[in-house]
Amino acid sequence: MDLQALRAARRRSLAPRHALLAVPLAMIAIVTAGDLLVPPDVHLGPFLAAAPAVTASFAGPRTTGFIGAVAVLAQVVVAMVRGSVTDLNHTFQIITLLLISVFVTLFAHLREVHEKQLVQLRSVAEAAQQVVLRPLRERLGPLRIASVYLAAAADAQIGGDLYAAARTSHGTRLIIGDVRGKGLDAVGDAALVLGAFRAAAHQEADLPGLVEYLERAVAPELDQAHQSSVGFDDHSEAFITAALIDIPDLGHAVQLVNCGHPSPLLLRGGRVIPLEVDHPAPPLGLSGLAESQLTPQGFPFEPGDILLLYTDGVLEARDEAGGFYPLAERAAAWRGTGPRALLSHLRDDLLAHTPTGTLGDDAAMVAIERLPTPTPLQKGAPRP
């Protein structure tokens, strides 16, 4: 969604606000009529200050100023009908109401400026998402792909989770990862990993070579950034979990190297099969802390199967009782077709699982479906 679309959405949201103008106008009418009917020693004029105050809660400065002017005019009319505008009591009521109207109009102006800043920040976040976390193509070779990203940070569209796909001469390679932390620092680390993946996915012949390249590319940067933020004695908290997948166009298998990331799920015929590797590698940035066994492991991936990749933000979403989101059970209960429908169902179900409809951590999901391989055309047969 670009800036113009956000502004159009904001204009649509203003339509109900205009209907709310009947509330302060009705307040002015009721208070004015009551002030004219009650005995002279009873003054209801101070209640008129509620009209511009209520208006400032939902309208802009122009509308708030207009309601304030109407309230002041109503107080002047009451003063003229009941006696004189120069009466000391009415004079103080008019001056006080005028000052309150000016103050609340100023507050409405500041709120409108803040809303414009939020619109611009959302636009910048969307632009950053398009640059750093590029949308995945719906079709890559014999694969149909869908993705969804849910950022935990308020007013943000991107955080520390990442995913990307690249076509090679023999198939498709994908990565999904999770940077430790949130905010701008996590976005920078995610951009670093994605840039290294896009640069090397076409060059490295196998997954172990690609993982080693990513480690060499991101480890020094992560270590330097961590040292500058927490000092030189602690190197244990700068890392990125990732799962790298190679799906050849020919054959019915998938190769997986898991670097400390949650195991992908394979959906087949109503069953959910976790793809757990025998020798997982440590997260990126921690190669100096453990021996890395970069051995890809193969799993069957038949036509019609759906491979679900996700980050731990999905699993760590809690309900009101503190229970984690049962991703495998919810995926097994799904009876739709296609990766896009699967992610739409899981996204809605995940947000409904949380009490407030928001997540405590960034969450990303990618669904890949292998389509049936077309039969090669016979020699001399007409092309469709």
Side-chain angles (χ1 to χ4, degrees), residues 267 270 306 329-339 341-343 345-346:
L267 281 66
I306 296 181
E329 297 178 9
R330 301 298 173 85
W334 176 69
R335 291 295 180 266
T337 57
L342 171 63
L343 292 191
H345 166 76
L346 292 178

Side-chain angles (χ1 to χ4, degrees), residues 40-129:
D41 57 338
V42 179
H43 298 277
L44 302 180
F47 291 103
L48 290 174
V54 170
T55 307
S57 65
F58 63 85
R62 295 182 179 180
T63 305
T64 303
F66 169 75
I67 294 297
V70 173
V72 172
L73 179 61
Q75 184 61 43
V76 172
V77 172
V78 171
M80 294 177 62
V81 172
R82 299 187 62 174
S84 174
V85 179
T86 59
D87 178 75
L88 186 61
N89 191 11
H90 289 139
T91 299
F92 276 106
Q93 290 186 28
I94 294 173
I95 294 176
T96 303
L97 182 57
L98 180 61
L99 292 176
I100 292 176
S101 299
V102 171
F103 286 145
V104 296
T105 301
L106 177 61
F107 292 151
H109 170 71
L110 295 177
R111 181 179 55 80
E112 187 175 67
V113 171
H114 181 64
E115 288 182 350
K116 290 181 179 180
Q117 292 175 346
L118 288 180
V119 170
Q120 293 176 352
L121 288 176
R122 293 189 182 101
S123 177
V124 171
E126 288 286 348
Q129 184 184 37

Side-chain angles (χ1 to χ4, degrees), residues 89-367:
N89 191 11
H90 289 139
T91 299
F92 276 106
Q93 290 186 28
I94 294 173
I95 294 176
T96 303
L97 182 57
L98 180 61
L99 292 176
I100 292 176
S101 299
V102 171
F103 286 145
V104 296
T105 301
L106 177 61
F107 292 151
H109 170 71
L110 295 177
R111 181 179 55 80
E112 187 175 67
V113 171
H114 181 64
E115 288 182 350
K116 290 181 179 180
Q117 292 175 346
L118 288 180
V119 170
Q120 293 176 352
L121 288 176
R122 293 189 182 101
S123 177
V124 171
E126 288 286 348
Q129 184 184 37
Q130 297 297 324
V131 174
V132 178
L133 198 63
R134 302 173 188 172
L136 300 181
R137 294 172 55 186
E138 186 175 356
R139 285 293 302 271
L140 288 174
L143 306 177
R144 185 163 55 180
I145 302 177
S147 61
V148 63
Y149 193 102
L150 299 172
D155 300 320
Q157 300 296 327
I158 186 172
D161 291 9
L162 59 99
Y163 52 77
R167 286 289 294 168
T168 65
S169 59
H170 66 278
T172 303
R173 283 179 173 171
L174 299 102
I175 182 175
I176 187 166
D178 185 2
V179 178
R180 188 186 186 278
K182 297 188 287 289
L184 293 178
D185 293 337
V187 174
D189 294 340
L192 180 66
V193 177
L194 292 174
F197 173 81
R198 291 165 182 149
H202 308 279
Q203 302 176 3
E204 299 296 334
D206 53 13
L207 284 184
L210 178 58
V211 175
E212 290 179 0
Y213 179 91
L214 295 179
E215 177 64 30
R216 293 193 304 267
V218 305
E221 296 292 337
L222 291 177
D223 188 60
Q224 181 179 1
H226 184 64
Q227 289 180 9
S228 63
S229 60
V230 301
F232 293 88
D233 298 329
D234 185 4
H235 304 280
S236 62
E237 296 188 359
F239 62 87
I240 301 171
T241 66
L244 289 95
I245 298 171
D246 197 347
I247 307 177
D249 290 342
L250 302 179
H252 298 155
V254 58
Q255 298 291 321
L256 170 64
V257 171
N258 195 327
C259 301
H261 199 75
S263 300
L265 301 179
L266 182 67
L267 281 66
R268 173 183 297 167
R271 296 183 297 120
V272 175
I273 306 170
L275 302 187
E276 299 179 352
V277 298
D278 297 330
H279 303 286
L284 300 177
L286 296 182
S287 60
L289 302 180
E291 291 294 331
S292 176
Q293 299 293 333
L294 297 179
T295 302
Q297 186 167 339
F299 297 93
F301 189 37
E302 303 288 341
D305 292 349
I306 296 181
L307 186 62
L308 179 61
L309 314 178
Y310 56 94
T311 58
D312 57 4
V314 178
L315 300 178
E316 294 175 356
R318 295 175 179 265
D319 58 14
E320 295 182 354
F324 293 108
Y325 181 69
L327 176 61
E329 297 178 9
R330 301 298 173 85
W334 176 69
R335 291 295 180 266
T337 57
R340 182 179 297 275
L342 171 63
L343 292 191
S344 178
H345 166 76
L346 292 178
R347 177 192 57 199
D348 297 340
D349 189 59
L350 176 64
L351 295 178
H353 178 79
T354 60
T356 60
T358 58
L359 303 179
D361 192 8
D362 303 323
M365 292 182 287
V366 178

Side-chain angles (χ1 to χ4, degrees), residues 20-32:
L20 292 176
L21 286 178
V23 175
L25 291 176
M27 293 173 60
I28 294 175
I30 293 174
V31 172
T32 302

